[in-house]
Amino acid sequence: MTASPAAATEPSGAMIRVAIAGSSGRMGQAVAEAVAAADDMEIACGIDLHPADAAYSVHRTVAEAVDAGGFDVLVDFTQPDAVAGNLACALPAGIDCVVGTTGLAADELERLAALAPAGTCLFYAPNFTTGAVLMMEFAKAAAPYFPEAEVIEMHHCNKKDAPSGTALRTAQMIAAARGGAVSQAPGRETEVPGAEGARGALVDGVPVHSVRSMGFVASQEVVFGSLGQTLTLRHDSWDRGSYMPGVLLGIRSVGSREGLVVGLENFMDA
Ligand code: NAP
């Protein structure tokens, strides 16, 4: 990755008009603050089922917002059951989309990206923090050297999907990078009756464990093991502000890309 961390917050051109789906939610409000504070972008509108008082107009649906027009980029931080419908409205209209809502499968993302005309970008980041992206890259680098790897993710109690999109992607990246390493760890067959799930969900063969508790925003550990040694990688987001440089980088980057782009690392490398 060649871009400095500061590059994520540096303005790069003309004013970008941004619509925020999920504008009344926790992430949507943080995005609105970050966009309003940025020199090179402005909030065109919010979109939320329960519009809150805001300094910008708020539509109830993405379809309404697309009809009203006046924005270049749709940012979506809604819910796993809403995001596909939102994107199916915006992408055919040629609106670049920056998506943080988790829960979309890879084939669904591809199907949605195919709805867009040439020159339009669907960007999905399972995690917008630079630290989590680096943690995934470090996990990918470590994976060939350790036959055992397990992912433990910890989130606040209001999270609607488990495991997290970051944990899914980390497990997929570990599995792809593993090469010939053979796990000696016992699997689901060792779970005792009444405690099924104790070995976690197997994502591409990598056990993933989800903790939900008050006190967390978003944390993840990846524990690697080989003979006589372990390696633990850990990342913590303590504040939603940690996502905002990545979200702004996504908003600034989608205009110059097209098709489906998955992962903030694609823009950190630019
Ligand atoms: P939240 O506080 O529940 O906010 C979601 C908002 O979206 C709510 O105000 C909700 O309204 C609204 N909404 C639901 N369906 C909608 C629709 N069809 N159109 C417009 N608005 C709609 O959730 P959050 O904590 O902000 O998280 C949002 C999503 O982002 C989750 O999937 C979460 O996992 C994900 N996330 C991703 C990252 C990342 O880095 N990629 C980081 C943090 C969170 P109601 O409350 O009325 O339903």
Side-chain angles (χ1 to χ4, degrees), residues 34-226:
V35 169
D39 293 340
D40 58 339
M41 54 186 83
E42 63 189 3
I43 305 174
C45 64
I47 302 147
D48 205 286
L49 298 174
H50 295 98
D53 283 343
Y56 43 84
S57 60
V58 182
H59 301 281
R60 288 186 58 82
T61 66
V62 171
E64 255 181 45
V66 170
D67 283 348
F71 59 95
D72 311 298
V73 177
L74 175 76
V75 177
D76 191 297
F77 280 97
T78 58
Q79 299 293 350
D81 61 0
V83 58
N86 291 345
L87 299 179
C89 284
L91 288 166
I95 294 163
D96 294 318
C97 293
V98 172
V99 180
T101 311
T102 47
L104 280 174
D107 55 350
E108 182 73 336
L109 283 166
E110 278 165 21
R111 183 189 70 78
L112 289 162
L115 301 176
T120 306
C121 181
L122 168 56
F123 170 52
Y124 165 64
N127 200 306
F128 278 96
T129 63
T130 47
V133 170
L134 290 169
M135 179 193 59
M136 288 188 263
E137 292 292 323
F138 297 155
K140 188 167 78 175
Y145 301 97
F146 291 89
E148 318 302 351
E150 307 215 0
V151 178
I152 305 135
E153 55 96 340
M154 294 143 269
H155 280 82
H156 57 89
C157 294
N158 294 315
K159 186 160 178 58
K160 297 226 166 48
D161 53 328
S164 70
T166 306
L168 279 174
R169 182 142 169 86
T170 306
Q172 289 160 351
M173 288 169 81
I174 290 169
R178 255 183 169 161
V182 177
S183 172
Q184 302 295 314
R188 307 294 306 261
E189 71 285 354
T190 60
E191 294 170 349
V192 301
E196 290 81 7
R199 292 287 298 121
L202 286 184
V203 177
D204 290 357
V206 178
V208 177
H209 312 265
S210 297
V211 177
R212 296 289 174 265
S213 170
M214 288 188 285
F216 285 111
V217 175
S219 296
Q220 178 167 293
E221 281 188 9
V222 186
V223 181
F224 290 98
S226 70

